[in-house]
Coordinates of all heavy atoms in Angstrom, one line a residue:
M1 N -57.4 15.1 -123.4 CA -57.3 15.2 -124.8 C -57.9 14.0 -125.4 O -57.8 12.9 -125.0 CB -55.8 15.3 -125.2 CG -55.7 15.6 -126.7 SD -54.0 16.1 -127.3 CE -53.4 17.2 -126.0
A2 N -58.7 14.2 -126.5 CA -59.3 13.2 -127.2 C -58.9 13.2 -128.7 O -58.8 14.2 -129.3 CB -60.8 13.3 -127.1
V3 N -58.6 12.0 -129.2 CA -58.3 11.8 -130.6 C -59.1 10.7 -131.2 O -59.2 9.6 -130.6 CB -56.8 11.5 -130.8 CG1 -56.4 11.3 -132.2 CG2 -55.9 12.6 -130.2
S4 N -59.8 11.0 -132.3 CA -60.7 10.0 -132.9 C -60.2 9.7 -134.3 O -59.8 10.6 -135.0 CB -62.1 10.5 -132.9 OG -63.0 9.6 -133.4
I5 N -60.4 8.5 -134.7 CA -60.1 8.1 -136.1 C -61.5 8.0 -136.8 O -62.3 7.2 -136.4 CB -59.4 6.7 -136.2 CG1 -58.1 6.7 -135.3 CG2 -59.1 6.3 -137.6 CD1 -57.1 7.8 -135.8
I6 N -61.6 8.8 -137.8 CA -62.9 8.7 -138.7 C -62.4 8.3 -140.1 O -61.8 9.1 -140.8 CB -63.6 10.1 -138.7 CG1 -63.9 10.5 -137.2 CG2 -64.8 10.1 -139.5 CD1 -64.4 11.9 -137.0
P7 N -62.7 7.1 -140.4 CA -62.2 6.5 -141.7 C -62.7 7.1 -143.0 O -62.0 7.0 -144.0 CB -62.5 5.0 -141.6 CG -63.7 5.0 -140.6 CD -63.6 6.1 -139.7
A8 N -63.8 7.7 -143.0 CA -64.3 8.3 -144.2 C -65.3 9.4 -143.9 O -65.8 9.5 -142.8 CB -65.1 7.2 -145.0
P9 N -65.5 10.4 -144.9 CA -66.4 11.5 -144.6 C -67.8 10.9 -144.2 O -68.2 9.9 -144.7 CB -66.5 12.2 -146.0 CG -65.2 11.8 -146.6 CD -64.8 10.4 -146.2
H10 N -68.4 11.6 -143.2 CA -69.7 11.3 -142.8 C -69.8 9.9 -142.1 O -71.0 9.4 -141.9 CB -70.8 11.3 -143.9 CG -70.7 12.6 -144.7 ND1 -71.0 13.8 -144.2 CD2 -70.2 12.8 -146.0 CE1 -70.8 14.8 -145.1 NE2 -70.3 14.2 -146.2
S11 N -68.7 9.3 -141.7 CA -68.8 8.0 -141.0 C -68.6 8.2 -139.5 O -68.1 9.3 -139.1 CB -67.7 7.1 -141.5 OG -66.4 7.5 -141.2
E12 N -69.0 7.3 -138.7 CA -68.8 7.3 -137.3 C -67.3 7.0 -137.0 O -66.6 6.4 -137.7 CB -69.7 6.2 -136.6 CG -71.2 6.5 -136.8 CD -71.6 7.8 -136.0 OE1 -71.1 8.0 -134.9 OE2 -72.3 8.6 -136.6
P13 N -66.9 7.5 -135.8 CA -65.5 7.2 -135.4 C -65.2 5.7 -135.3 O -66.1 4.9 -134.8 CB -65.4 7.8 -134.0 CG -66.4 8.9 -134.0 CD -67.5 8.3 -134.8
A14 N -64.1 5.2 -135.8 CA -63.7 3.8 -135.7 C -62.9 3.5 -134.5 O -62.9 2.4 -134.0 CB -62.8 3.5 -136.9
D15 N -62.3 4.6 -133.9 CA -61.5 4.4 -132.7 C -61.4 5.8 -132.0 O -61.4 6.8 -132.7 CB -60.1 3.9 -133.0 CG -59.4 3.3 -131.8 OD1 -60.0 3.4 -130.7 OD2 -58.3 2.8 -131.9
L16 N -61.4 5.8 -130.7 CA -61.3 7.0 -129.9 C -60.4 6.7 -128.7 O -60.6 5.7 -128.0 CB -62.7 7.4 -129.5 CG -62.8 8.6 -128.4 CD1 -62.2 9.9 -129.0 CD2 -64.2 8.7 -127.9
R17 N -59.5 7.6 -128.5 CA -58.6 7.4 -127.4 C -58.6 8.8 -126.6 O -58.7 9.8 -127.3 CB -57.2 7.1 -127.8 CG -57.1 5.7 -128.5 CD -56.0 4.8 -128.0 NE -56.0 3.6 -128.8 CZ -55.0 3.1 -129.4 NH1 -53.8 3.7 -129.3 NH2 -55.1 2.0 -130.0
R18 N -58.4 8.7 -125.3 CA -58.4 9.9 -124.5 C -57.2 9.8 -123.6 O -56.8 8.8 -123.1 CB -59.7 10.0 -123.7 CG -60.9 10.2 -124.5 CD -62.1 10.3 -123.6 NE -63.3 10.6 -124.4 CZ -64.4 9.9 -124.5 NH1 -64.4 8.7 -123.8 NH2 -65.4 10.2 -125.2
W19 N -56.7 11.0 -123.3 CA -55.7 11.2 -122.3 C -56.1 12.2 -121.3 O -56.8 13.2 -121.6 CB -54.4 11.7 -123.0 CG -53.7 10.7 -123.9 CD1 -52.7 9.9 -123.6 CD2 -54.1 10.4 -125.2 NE1 -52.3 9.1 -124.6 CE2 -53.2 9.4 -125.7 CE3 -55.1 10.8 -126.1 CZ2 -53.3 8.9 -127.0 CZ3 -55.2 10.3 -127.4 CH2 -54.2 9.3 -127.8
F20 N -55.8 11.9 -120.0 CA -56.3 12.8 -118.9 C -55.1 13.2 -118.0 O -54.1 12.5 -117.9 CB -57.3 12.0 -118.0 CG -58.5 11.6 -118.7 CD1 -58.6 10.4 -119.3 CD2 -59.6 12.5 -118.8 CE1 -59.8 10.0 -120.0 CE2 -60.8 12.2 -119.5 CZ -60.8 10.9 -120.1
A21 N -55.2 14.3 -117.3 CA -54.2 14.8 -116.4 C -54.9 15.6 -115.3 O -55.9 16.3 -115.6 CB -53.1 15.6 -117.0
E22 N -54.5 15.4 -114.1 CA -55.1 16.2 -113.0 C -54.5 17.6 -113.0 O -55.2 18.6 -112.5 CB -54.8 15.5 -111.6 CG -55.5 14.2 -111.4 CD -57.0 14.4 -111.3 OE1 -57.5 15.4 -110.8 OE2 -57.7 13.5 -111.9
T23 N -53.3 17.8 -113.4 CA -52.6 19.1 -113.5 C -51.8 19.1 -114.8 O -51.6 18.1 -115.4 CB -51.6 19.3 -112.3 OG1 -50.6 18.3 -112.3 CG2 -52.4 19.2 -111.0
G24 N -51.4 20.3 -115.1 CA -50.6 20.5 -116.3 C -51.4 20.6 -117.6 O -52.7 20.6 -117.6
D25 N -50.8 20.8 -118.7 CA -51.4 21.0 -120.0 C -50.9 19.8 -120.9 O -49.8 19.8 -121.3 CB -51.0 22.3 -120.6 CG -51.7 22.7 -121.8 OD1 -52.2 21.8 -122.5 OD2 -51.7 23.9 -122.1
L26 N -51.8 18.9 -121.3 CA -51.5 17.8 -122.1 C -51.0 18.2 -123.5 O -50.3 17.4 -124.1 CB -52.7 16.9 -122.2 CG -53.1 16.1 -121.0 CD1 -54.3 15.3 -121.3 CD2 -52.0 15.3 -120.5
R27 N -51.3 19.4 -123.9 CA -50.9 19.8 -125.2 C -49.4 20.0 -125.3 O -48.8 20.0 -126.4 CB -51.6 21.1 -125.6 CG -53.1 21.0 -125.7 CD -53.8 22.3 -125.9 NE -53.6 23.2 -124.7 CZ -54.0 24.4 -124.7 NH1 -54.5 25.0 -125.7 NH2 -53.8 25.1 -123.5
T28 N -48.7 20.2 -124.1 CA -47.3 20.3 -124.1 C -46.6 19.2 -123.4 O -45.4 19.2 -123.2 CB -46.9 21.6 -123.4 OG1 -47.4 21.6 -122.0 CG2 -47.5 22.8 -124.1
D29 N -47.3 18.1 -123.2 CA -46.7 16.9 -122.5 C -46.1 16.0 -123.6 O -46.8 15.4 -124.4 CB -47.8 16.1 -121.8 CG -47.3 15.0 -121.0 OD1 -46.6 14.1 -121.6 OD2 -47.6 14.8 -119.8
E30 N -44.8 15.9 -123.6 CA -44.1 15.2 -124.7 C -44.5 13.7 -124.8 O -44.5 13.2 -125.9 CB -42.6 15.3 -124.5 CG -42.1 16.7 -124.7 CD -40.6 16.9 -124.6 OE1 -39.8 15.9 -124.6 OE2 -40.1 18.0 -124.4
T31 N -44.7 13.1 -123.6 CA -45.1 11.7 -123.6 C -46.5 11.5 -124.3 O -46.7 10.6 -125.2 CB -45.2 11.1 -122.2 OG1 -43.9 11.3 -121.6 CG2 -45.6 9.7 -122.2
V32 N -47.4 12.4 -124.0 CA -48.8 12.3 -124.6 C -48.7 12.6 -126.0 O -49.3 11.9 -126.9 CB -49.7 13.3 -123.8 CG1 -51.0 13.4 -124.6 CG2 -50.0 12.8 -122.4
V33 N -47.9 13.6 -126.4 CA -47.8 14.0 -127.9 C -47.2 12.8 -128.6 O -47.7 12.4 -129.7 CB -47.0 15.2 -128.1 CG1 -46.7 15.4 -129.5 CG2 -47.7 16.4 -127.5
A34 N -46.2 12.1 -128.1 CA -45.6 10.9 -128.7 C -46.6 9.8 -128.8 O -46.7 9.1 -129.9 CB -44.4 10.5 -127.9
E35 N -47.5 9.6 -127.8 CA -48.5 8.5 -127.9 C -49.5 8.9 -128.9 O -50.0 8.0 -129.6 CB -49.2 8.4 -126.5 CG -48.3 7.8 -125.5 CD -48.9 7.7 -124.1 OE1 -50.1 8.0 -123.9 OE2 -48.2 7.3 -123.1
I36 N -49.9 10.1 -129.1 CA -50.9 10.5 -130.1 C -50.3 10.3 -131.5 O -51.0 9.8 -132.4 CB -51.3 12.0 -129.9 CG1 -52.2 12.1 -128.6 CG2 -52.1 12.5 -131.1 CD1 -52.4 13.5 -128.1
V37 N -49.1 10.7 -131.7 CA -48.4 10.5 -133.0 C -48.4 9.0 -133.3 O -48.7 8.6 -134.4 CB -47.0 11.1 -133.0 CG1 -46.2 10.7 -134.2 CG2 -47.1 12.6 -132.9
A38 N -48.0 8.2 -132.3 CA -48.0 6.7 -132.6 C -49.4 6.2 -132.9 O -49.6 5.4 -133.8 CB -47.5 6.0 -131.3
F39 N -50.4 6.7 -132.2 CA -51.8 6.3 -132.5 C -52.2 6.7 -133.9 O -52.8 5.9 -134.7 CB -52.7 6.9 -131.5 CG -54.2 6.7 -131.7 CD1 -54.7 5.4 -131.7 CD2 -55.0 7.8 -131.8 CE1 -56.1 5.2 -131.9 CE2 -56.4 7.6 -132.0 CZ -56.9 6.3 -132.0
L40 N -51.9 7.8 -134.3 CA -52.2 8.3 -135.7 C -51.4 7.5 -136.7 O -52.0 7.1 -137.8 CB -51.8 9.8 -135.9 CG -52.7 10.7 -135.0 CD1 -52.2 12.2 -135.1 CD2 -54.1 10.7 -135.3
R41 N -50.2 7.2 -136.5 CA -49.4 6.3 -137.4 C -49.9 4.9 -137.5 O -50.0 4.3 -138.6 CB -47.9 6.3 -137.0 CG -47.2 7.6 -137.3 CD -45.8 7.6 -137.1 NE -45.1 8.8 -137.5 CZ -44.1 9.4 -136.9 NH1 -43.6 8.8 -135.9 NH2 -43.6 10.5 -137.3
E42 N -50.3 4.4 -136.4 CA -50.9 3.0 -136.3 C -52.1 2.9 -137.2 O -52.5 1.9 -137.8 CB -51.3 2.6 -134.9 CG -50.2 2.3 -134.0 CD -50.7 2.2 -132.5 OE1 -51.9 2.1 -132.3 OE2 -49.9 2.3 -131.6
N43 N -52.9 4.0 -137.3 CA -54.1 4.1 -138.1 C -53.9 4.6 -139.5 O -54.9 4.9 -140.2 CB -55.2 4.8 -137.3 CG -55.7 4.0 -136.2 OD1 -56.6 3.2 -136.4 ND2 -55.2 4.3 -135.0
D44 N -52.7 4.8 -139.9 CA -52.3 5.3 -141.2 C -53.1 6.6 -141.6 O -53.7 6.7 -142.7 CB -52.5 4.2 -142.3 CG -51.8 4.5 -143.6 OD1 -50.8 5.2 -143.6 OD2 -52.4 4.0 -144.6
V45 N -53.2 7.5 -140.7 CA -53.9 8.7 -140.9 C -53.4 9.6 -142.0 O -52.2 9.7 -142.1 CB -54.0 9.6 -139.5 CG1 -54.5 10.9 -139.7 CG2 -54.8 8.8 -138.5
K46 N -54.2 10.1 -142.8 CA -53.8 10.9 -144.0 C -54.0 12.4 -143.7 O -53.3 13.2 -144.3 CB -54.7 10.5 -145.2 CG -54.6 9.1 -145.6 CD -53.2 8.7 -146.2 CE -53.2 7.4 -146.8 NZ -52.5 6.4 -146.0
S47 N -55.0 12.8 -142.9 CA -55.1 14.2 -142.6 C -55.6 14.3 -141.1 O -56.2 13.4 -140.6 CB -56.1 14.9 -143.5 OG -57.4 14.3 -143.4
V48 N -55.4 15.5 -140.6 CA -55.8 15.8 -139.2 C -56.5 17.1 -139.1 O -56.2 18.1 -139.8 CB -54.5 15.9 -138.3 CG1 -54.8 16.3 -136.9 CG2 -53.7 14.5 -138.4
V49 N -57.5 17.1 -138.2 CA -58.2 18.4 -137.9 C -58.1 18.5 -136.4 O -58.2 17.6 -135.6 CB -59.7 18.3 -138.3 CG1 -60.5 19.5 -137.8 CG2 -59.9 18.0 -139.7
A50 N -57.7 19.7 -136.0 CA -57.4 20.0 -134.6 C -58.1 21.3 -134.2 O -58.2 22.2 -135.0 CB -55.9 20.1 -134.3
M51 N -58.5 21.4 -132.9 CA -59.1 22.6 -132.3 C -57.9 23.5 -132.0 O -56.8 23.0 -131.7 CB -59.9 22.3 -131.1 CG -61.0 21.3 -131.3 SD -62.2 21.9 -132.6 CE -62.9 23.3 -131.8
D52 N -58.1 24.8 -132.0 CA -57.0 25.7 -131.6 C -57.0 26.1 -130.2 O -56.3 27.0 -129.8 CB -57.1 26.9 -132.5 CG -58.4 27.8 -132.3 OD1 -59.3 27.3 -131.6 OD2 -58.4 28.9 -132.9
G53 N -57.8 25.4 -129.4 CA -57.8 25.7 -127.9 C -58.6 24.6 -127.2 O -59.0 23.6 -127.8
I54 N -58.8 24.8 -125.9 CA -59.5 23.9 -125.1 C -61.0 24.1 -125.3 O -61.5 25.2 -125.3 CB -59.2 24.1 -123.6 CG1 -57.7 23.8 -123.4 CG2 -60.1 23.3 -122.7 CD1 -57.2 24.2 -122.0
V55 N -61.8 23.0 -125.5 CA -63.2 23.0 -125.8 C -63.9 22.3 -124.7 O -64.0 21.1 -124.7 CB -63.5 22.3 -127.2 CG1 -65.0 22.4 -127.4 CG2 -62.7 23.0 -128.3
G56 N -64.3 23.0 -123.7 CA -65.1 22.5 -122.6 C -64.3 21.6 -121.6 O -63.1 21.5 -121.8
C57 N -64.9 21.1 -120.7 CA -64.3 20.2 -119.7 C -64.2 18.8 -120.2 O -64.8 18.4 -121.2 CB -65.0 20.3 -118.4 SG -66.5 19.3 -118.3
P58 N -63.4 17.9 -119.5 CA -63.2 16.6 -120.0 C -64.4 15.6 -119.7 O -64.4 14.5 -120.2 CB -62.0 16.1 -119.3 CG -62.0 16.9 -118.0 CD -62.5 18.2 -118.4
H59 N -65.4 16.1 -119.0 CA -66.5 15.2 -118.6 C -67.6 15.3 -119.7 O -67.7 16.3 -120.4 CB -67.1 15.7 -117.3 CG -66.0 15.7 -116.2 ND1 -65.4 16.9 -115.8 CD2 -65.4 14.7 -115.6 CE1 -64.5 16.6 -114.9 NE2 -64.5 15.3 -114.7
E60 N -68.3 14.2 -119.9 CA -69.2 14.1 -121.0 C -70.7 14.3 -120.5 O -71.1 13.5 -119.7 CB -69.1 12.8 -121.7 CG -67.7 12.7 -122.4 CD -67.6 11.4 -123.2 OE1 -68.5 11.2 -124.0 OE2 -66.7 10.7 -123.0
E61 N -71.3 15.3 -121.1 CA -72.7 15.5 -120.8 C -73.5 14.2 -121.2 O -73.3 13.7 -122.3 CB -73.2 16.7 -121.6 CG -74.6 17.1 -121.3 CD -75.1 18.3 -122.1 OE1 -74.5 18.6 -123.2 OE2 -76.0 19.0 -121.7
G62 N -74.4 13.8 -120.4 CA -75.2 12.6 -120.6 C -74.5 11.3 -120.2 O -75.2 10.3 -120.1
I63 N -73.2 11.4 -119.9 CA -72.5 10.2 -119.4 C -72.0 10.5 -117.9 O -72.3 9.8 -117.0 CB -71.3 9.9 -120.3 CG1 -71.9 9.4 -121.6 CG2 -70.5 8.8 -119.6 CD1 -70.8 9.2 -122.7
D64 N -71.3 11.6 -117.8 CA -70.8 12.0 -116.4 C -71.7 12.8 -115.6 O -71.6 12.9 -114.4 CB -69.4 12.7 -116.6 CG -68.4 11.8 -117.2 OD1 -68.3 10.6 -116.8 OD2 -67.7 12.3 -118.1
Y65 N -72.7 13.5 -116.3 CA -73.7 14.3 -115.7 C -74.9 14.4 -116.6 O -74.7 14.2 -117.8 CB -73.1 15.7 -115.2 CG -72.6 16.5 -116.4 CD1 -73.4 17.4 -117.0 CD2 -71.3 16.3 -116.8 CE1 -72.9 18.2 -118.1 CE2 -70.8 17.1 -117.9 CZ -71.6 18.0 -118.5 OH -71.1 18.8 -119.5
P66 N -76.0 14.8 -116.1 CA -77.3 14.8 -116.9 C -77.2 15.8 -118.1 O -76.6 16.9 -118.0 CB -78.4 15.2 -115.9 CG -77.8 14.8 -114.6 CD -76.3 15.1 -114.7
L67 N -77.9 15.4 -119.1 CA -78.0 16.3 -120.3 C -78.6 17.7 -119.9 O -79.6 17.7 -119.1 CB -78.9 15.7 -121.4 CG -78.3 14.5 -122.1 CD1 -79.3 13.8 -123.0 CD2 -77.1 14.9 -123.0
G68 N -78.1 18.7 -120.5 CA -78.7 20.1 -120.2 C -78.2 20.7 -118.9 O -78.6 21.8 -118.7
E69 N -77.4 20.0 -118.1 CA -76.9 20.6 -116.9 C -75.4 20.9 -117.0 O -74.8 20.5 -117.9 CB -77.1 19.6 -115.7 CG -78.6 19.4 -115.4 CD -78.8 18.5 -114.2 OE1 -77.9 18.3 -113.4 OE2 -79.9 18.0 -114.0
A70 N -75.0 21.8 -116.1 CA -73.5 22.1 -116.0 C -72.8 21.0 -115.3 O -73.3 20.3 -114.5 CB -73.3 23.4 -115.2
C71 N -71.5 20.8 -115.7 CA -70.7 19.7 -115.1 C -70.5 20.1 -113.6 O -70.0 21.2 -113.3 CB -69.4 19.6 -115.8 SG -68.2 18.4 -115.0
P72 N -70.8 19.2 -112.7 CA -70.7 19.5 -111.3 C -69.2 19.5 -110.8 O -68.9 20.0 -109.8 CB -71.4 18.4 -110.6 CG -71.4 17.2 -111.6 CD -71.4 17.9 -112.9
D73 N -68.3 19.0 -111.7 CA -66.9 18.9 -111.3 C -66.0 20.1 -111.9 O -64.9 20.3 -111.5 CB -66.3 17.6 -111.8 CG -66.9 16.4 -111.1 OD1 -67.1 16.5 -109.9 OD2 -67.1 15.4 -111.8
C74 N -66.6 20.8 -112.8 CA -65.8 21.9 -113.5 C -66.5 23.2 -113.4 O -67.2 23.7 -114.4 CB -65.5 21.5 -114.9 SG -64.6 20.0 -115.0
S75 N -66.4 23.9 -112.3 CA -67.2 25.1 -112.1 C -66.8 26.2 -113.1 O -67.6 27.1 -113.4 CB -67.0 25.6 -110.6 OG -65.6 25.9 -110.4
Y76 N -65.6 26.2 -113.6 CA -65.2 27.2 -114.6 C -66.1 27.2 -115.8 O -66.4 28.3 -116.3 CB -63.7 26.9 -115.0 CG -63.3 27.9 -116.1 CD1 -62.8 29.1 -115.9 CD2 -63.4 27.5 -117.5 CE1 -62.5 30.0 -116.9 CE2 -63.0 28.3 -118.5 CZ -62.6 29.6 -118.2 OH -62.2 30.5 -119.2
W77 N -66.5 26.1 -116.2 CA -67.3 26.0 -117.4 C -68.8 26.3 -117.2 O -69.6 26.4 -118.2 CB -67.1 24.6 -118.1 CG -65.8 24.5 -118.7 CD1 -64.7 23.9 -118.2 CD2 -65.3 25.2 -119.9 NE1 -63.6 24.1 -119.0 CE2 -64.0 24.9 -120.1 CE3 -66.0 25.9 -120.9 CZ2 -63.2 25.3 -121.1 CZ3 -65.2 26.4 -122.0 CH2 -63.9 26.1 -122.1
K78 N -69.3 26.4 -116.0 CA -70.7 26.6 -115.7 C -71.1 28.0 -116.3 O -70.5 29.0 -116.0 CB -71.0 26.6 -114.2 CG -72.4 26.7 -113.9 CD -72.7 26.6 -112.4 CE -74.2 26.6 -112.2 NZ -74.6 26.4 -110.8
G79 N -72.0 28.0 -117.2 CA -72.5 29.2 -117.8 C -71.6 29.7 -119.0 O -71.9 30.8 -119.5
R80 N -70.6 28.9 -119.4 CA -69.8 29.3 -120.5 C -70.1 28.5 -121.7 O -70.5 27.4 -121.7 CB -68.3 29.1 -120.1 CG -67.7 30.0 -119.1 CD -66.2 29.8 -118.9 NE -65.8 30.6 -117.8 CZ -65.4 31.8 -117.9 NH1 -65.3 32.4 -119.1 NH2 -65.0 32.5 -116.8
N81 N -69.9 29.2 -122.8 CA -70.0 28.5 -124.1 C -68.8 27.7 -124.3 O -67.7 28.2 -124.3 CB -70.1 29.6 -125.2 CG -70.3 29.0 -126.6 OD1 -69.4 28.3 -127.1 ND2 -71.4 29.3 -127.2
R82 N -69.0 26.4 -124.6 CA -67.8 25.5 -124.7 C -66.9 25.8 -125.9 O -65.8 25.4 -125.9 CB -68.3 24.0 -124.7 CG -68.9 23.6 -125.9 CD -69.3 22.1 -125.9 NE -68.2 21.2 -125.8 CZ -68.1 20.3 -124.8 NH1 -69.1 20.1 -123.9 NH2 -67.0 19.6 -124.7
W83 N -67.5 26.4 -126.9 CA -66.7 26.7 -128.1 C -65.9 28.0 -128.0 O -64.8 28.1 -128.5 CB -67.6 26.7 -129.3 CG -68.3 25.4 -129.5 CD1 -69.6 25.2 -129.2 CD2 -67.8 24.2 -129.8 NE1 -69.9 23.9 -129.4 CE2 -68.8 23.2 -129.8 CE3 -66.5 23.7 -130.1 CZ2 -68.6 21.9 -130.1 CZ3 -66.3 22.4 -130.4 CH2 -67.3 21.5 -130.4
T84 N -66.5 29.0 -127.3 CA -65.8 30.3 -127.2 C -65.2 30.6 -125.9 O -64.3 31.4 -125.8 CB -66.8 31.5 -127.5 OG1 -67.8 31.5 -126.4 CG2 -67.5 31.3 -128.8
G85 N -65.6 29.9 -124.9 CA -65.1 30.1 -123.5 C -65.7 31.3 -122.9 O -65.5 31.7 -121.7
E86 N -66.6 32.0 -123.6 CA -67.2 33.2 -123.1 C -68.4 32.9 -122.2 O -69.2 32.0 -122.4 CB -67.7 34.1 -124.3 CG -66.6 34.6 -125.2 CD -65.6 35.5 -124.5 OE1 -66.1 36.4 -123.7 OE2 -64.4 35.4 -124.8
L87 N -68.6 33.8 -121.2 CA -69.8 33.6 -120.3 C -71.0 33.9 -121.1 O -71.0 34.9 -121.9 CB -69.7 34.5 -119.1 CG -68.7 34.1 -118.0 CD1 -68.6 35.2 -117.0 CD2 -69.2 32.8 -117.4
E88 N -72.1 33.1 -120.9 CA -73.3 33.4 -121.7 C -74.3 34.2 -120.8 O -74.2 34.1 -119.5 CB -74.0 32.0 -122.0 CG -73.1 31.2 -123.0 CD -73.7 29.9 -123.3 OE1 -74.4 29.3 -122.5 OE2 -73.4 29.4 -124.4
A89 N -75.1 34.9 -121.4 CA -76.1 35.8 -120.6 C -77.0 34.8 -119.9 O -77.5 33.8 -120.4 CB -76.9 36.6 -121.6
S90 N -77.4 35.2 -118.7 CA -78.3 34.4 -117.8 C -79.7 34.7 -118.1 O -80.1 35.8 -118.3 CB -78.0 34.6 -116.4 OG -76.7 34.6 -116.0

């Protein structure tokens, strides 16, 4: 899970924190949720935007694997649209 603090419209993130798990769903992990709430409070957040589902794998294109390629660690996402989760036509 990734949470970023963006201090003003059209500005770059001022802070970014990530949480990882090998198993389970971080969206229902009470410890992680409490840490996120604390992070938001520390930054005096006024509004929040959240995705309504999982958006792609946790690995970053261009950092963990080459741009334009599928993540070698997450075969589920190979050939899938990261926003819809639907398989794309080959």
Side-chain angles (χ1 to χ4, degrees):
M1 185 166 319
V3 178
S4 182
I5 304 299
I6 301 174
H10 311 292
S11 67
E12 293 295 317
D15 198 355
L16 170 66
R17 299 224 183 131
R18 294 183 176 117
W19 290 261
F20 298 93
E22 292 294 323
T23 60
D25 188 338
L26 291 179
R27 297 172 297 174
T28 60
D29 184 309
E30 291 180 18
T31 301
V32 171
V33 171
E35 289 176 9
I36 291 169
V37 169
F39 175 59
L40 296 173
R41 286 187 176 145
E42 287 167 16
N43 285 280
D44 197 29
V45 169
K46 303 287 189 255
S47 63
V48 174
V49 175
M51 302 303 295
D52 63 352
I54 296 171
V55 181
C57 78
H59 306 102
E60 294 185 53
E61 185 178 24
I63 295 174
D64 298 315
Y65 60 94
L67 289 171
E69 293 185 16
C71 177
D73 295 318
C74 298
S75 59
Y76 174 82
W77 289 101
K78 186 175 184 176
R80 288 186 188 271
N81 180 297
R82 73 178 300 125
W83 304 107
T84 66
E86 299 293 323
L87 284 172
E88 297 178 330
S90 315

